[in-house]
């Protein structure tokens, strides 16, 4: 569903110049209002009066219990770290793809439309590729997906045409789809406790959210700094900042792969 929503957003993004800012936000408001209305109408809210009798939350104990699975379970910790590292690379590619197309790709199309166009093959091929992963051998799937995403980053460093951006988007999707499927399957294999599975899954989910907070400012600083360095060199190196940024993504994926290799419970 998440990929379907992203795909719909990418399709709408292709028409951003036609719709304009007001049109785009009108579409967003209409979608959010419709989905909120469906939620409000279809969901019955239970009484919360019984919650008043519960003891206040002991925040110190709550935080300690929250991170306890990471400290006590080696394989769960490694799956968490692996997802964190991979998500750093994925978030960096996704966040800077638009700027890369605008600064480094030869196209007369506005970058907002071009990046939406480039995301369509990614979002279409990701779920299709995920359907073909084997039920076992999860590590092999992660290795192959990592190799595909690393190859994508290498191509991002040399591509200069829009058709190459479309090819790169599709290739990245062929790695991204199987990766997220295999990674979630690995999580289910190493959950420390069935009784507290919901809490542990929520903790693992933070490994997908937190990198989006850290990846963008770190990569943005590198991008700005090395863009200036590349321009000052004689002869200048075009888009050096992007080359360094995508090289950092390669490191994220490579280290994430090594962390995955060290998980003992998974084939």
């Amino acid at each position: 569903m998440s990929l379907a929503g992203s795909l719909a957003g990418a399709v709408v993004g292709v028409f951003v110049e036609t719709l304009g800012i007001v049109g785009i936000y009108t579409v967003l408001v209409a979608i959010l209002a419709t989905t909120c209305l469906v939620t409000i109408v279809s969901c019955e809210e239970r009484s919360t009066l019984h919650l008043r009798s519960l003891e206040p939350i002991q925040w110190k104990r709550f935080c300690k219990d929250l991170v306890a699975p990471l400290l006590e379970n080696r394989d769960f910790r490694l799956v968490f770290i692996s997802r964190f590292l991979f998500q750093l690379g994925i978030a960096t590619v996704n966040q800077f793809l638009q700027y890369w197309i605008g600064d480094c790709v030869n196209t007369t199309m506005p970058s907002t439309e071009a990046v939406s166009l480039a995301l369509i093959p990614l979002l279409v091929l990701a779920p299709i590729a995920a359907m073909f992963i084997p039920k076992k051998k999860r590590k092999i799937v992660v290795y192959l997906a990592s190799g595909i995403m690393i190859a994508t980053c290498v191509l991002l460093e040399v591509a200069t045409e829009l058709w190459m951006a479309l090819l790169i988007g599709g290739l990245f999707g062929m790695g991204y789809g199987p990766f997220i499927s295999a990674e979630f399957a690995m999580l289910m294999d190493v959950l420390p406790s069935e009784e507290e599975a919901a809490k542990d899954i929520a903790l693992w989910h933070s490994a997908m959210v937190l990198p989006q907070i850290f990846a963008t400012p770190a990569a943005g600083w590198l991008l700005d700094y090395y863009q200036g360095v590349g321009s000052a060199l004689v002869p200048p190196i075009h888009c050096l900042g992007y080359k360094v940024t995508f090289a950092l993504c390669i490191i994220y994926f490579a280290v994430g792969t090594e962390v995955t290799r060290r998980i003992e419970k998974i084939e």
Side-chain angles (χ1 to χ4, degrees), residues 75-76 78-80 82-84 86-87 90 130 133-135 138-139 141-142 145 175-192 197-208 260 263 266:
D75 281 347
F76 181 74
L78 291 177
V79 169
F80 181 93
S82 170
R83 182 56 191 255
F84 187 91
F86 273 102
Q87 195 62 38
I90 293 168
I133 66 172
K135 294 182 179 180
R138 312 200 197 285
K139 284 185 178 180
V141 174
V142 174
Y176 177 67
F179 167 75
I180 58 175
S181 299
E183 191 77 3
F184 187 79
M186 288 196 299
L187 166 69
M188 302 307 293
D189 289 340
V190 301
L191 280 177
K199 184 189 74 173
D200 295 337
I201 291 173
L203 176 60
W204 170 83
H205 183 71
S206 66
M208 185 170 62
T260 300
I263 301 172
I266 298 172

Side-chain angles (χ1 to χ4, degrees), residues 233-257:
L233 293 174
V234 181
I237 299 179
H238 184 56
C239 291
L240 178 62
Y242 291 95
K243 297 179 189 298
V244 173
T245 300
F246 295 133
L248 178 63
C249 294
I250 293 174
I251 295 173
Y252 289 147
F253 294 141
V255 177
T257 303

